């Protein structure tokens, strides 16, 4: 395949940045999108040019590091996949592909296609955990009976990999789907009940401090989420927040 890549290049956080054109040839339909960028970078390095900086780690849809906005869609045109799982067969020979970083005030660009998503880490630190007694008397989790529906819903929420596609695709740059998933994962389980009140108040407070926008129920986040996280989690977080606020 022969393609024209239009890639966002930005030297550092202060640089204004802009789109640069890169014609590329010899791309196989079975290559992943990141392998295609590897080919481009090899060519740039061989020419003595600066390679394009982009984030990646596992390259199998687990870590949530890869984060590209491709032709106006977070993680590109396929559904239920991350950028590292996207294949070039989704594009046609001769296509022009725009590749940009995830854009949100709370995700500032560090370089080229790499953004700083440490705001998500700070939200997690604010409440995305449970305290467990590890003194030797820990009760095995499997001995605590949990309703099957709740266990399944908690597991579904826990599938969130913190990629940030929900924020990038939301017109308000809202992080409600991410935070809703992280709150729901524990709210549905007995282990999460002890810190439930503090958790939702602290995580939502941190989310607001980081500069994420509000949810206006457009649902774009659910459509673009590679892990199928449901809007139901936002509704659950809102219920948890209301009940915690009344207690507080
Ligand atoms: S909710 Fe979905 S889109 Fe948002 S961070 Fe989690 S996995 Fe990524
Ligand atoms: S590189 Fe880990 S999810 Fe894409």
């Amino acid at each position: 395949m022969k393609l024209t890549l239009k890639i966002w290049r930005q030297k550092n956080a202060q640089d204004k940045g802009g789109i640069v054109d890169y014609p590329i040839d010899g791309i196989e339909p079975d290559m992943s999108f990141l392998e295609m960028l590897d080919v481009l970078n090899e060519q740039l390095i061989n020419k003595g040019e600066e390679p394009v900086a982009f984030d990646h780690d596992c390259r199998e849809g687990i870590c949530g590091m890869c984060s590209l906005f491709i032709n106006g869609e977070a993680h590109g045109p396929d559904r239920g996949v991350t950028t590292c799982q996207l294949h070039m067969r989704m594009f046609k020979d001769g296509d022009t592909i725009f590749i940009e970083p995830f854009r949100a005030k709370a995700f500032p660009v560090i370089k080229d296609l790499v953004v700083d998503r440490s705001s998500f880490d700070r939200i997690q630190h604010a409440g995305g955990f449970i305290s467990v007694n590890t003194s030797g008397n820990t009760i095995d989790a499997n001995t605590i009976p949990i309703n099957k529906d709740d266990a399944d819903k908690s597991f579904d929420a826990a599938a969130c990999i913190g990629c940030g596609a929900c924020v990038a695709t939301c017109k308000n740059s809202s992080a409600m789907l991410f935070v809703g998933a992280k709150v729901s994962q524990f709210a549905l389980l007995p282990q999460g009940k002890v810190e439930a009140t503090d958790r939702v108040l602290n995580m939502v407070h941190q989310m607001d401090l980081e500069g994420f926008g509000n949810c206006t129920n457009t649902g774009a986040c659910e459509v673009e989420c590679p892990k199928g996280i449901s809007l139901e989690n936002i509704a659950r977080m809102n219920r948890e927040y209301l009940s915690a606020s009344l207690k507080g």
Side-chain angles (χ1 to χ4, degrees), residues 34 56-66 82-84 161:
L34 297 189
H56 61 100
D57 190 3
C58 71
R59 294 201 176 201
E60 48 189 12
I62 298 169
C63 71
M65 284 294 285
C66 56
T82 51
T83 297
C84 60
I161 54 173

Side-chain angles (χ1 to χ4, degrees), residues 138-232:
T138 314
I139 302 169
D140 191 296
N142 289 332
T143 63
I144 303 169
I146 297 171
N147 173 295
K148 174 82 169 98
D149 275 356
D150 289 345
D152 286 350
K153 282 182 179 156
S154 172
F155 195 82
D156 289 346
C160 166
I161 54 173
C163 64
C166 45
V167 173
T169 203
C170 174
K171 63 176 181 165
N172 310 315
S173 299
S174 169
M176 295 278 273
L177 195 65
F178 166 74
V179 184
K182 298 302 172 194
V183 166
S184 290
Q185 169 184 348
F186 295 121
L188 287 154
L189 300 178
Q191 291 93 330
K193 300 287 182 220
V194 183
E195 288 136 333
T197 305
D198 285 347
R199 174 178 307 111
V200 68
L201 293 177
N202 292 343
M203 291 182 88
V204 169
H205 177 64
Q206 191 63 38
M207 173 180 81
D208 290 342
L209 280 183
E210 299 291 347
F212 291 104
N214 287 324
C215 173
T216 49
N217 294 314
T218 55
C221 54
E222 187 185 56
V223 174
E224 296 285 354
C225 172
K227 297 297 164 186
I229 301 297
S230 159
L231 288 177
E232 208 181 272

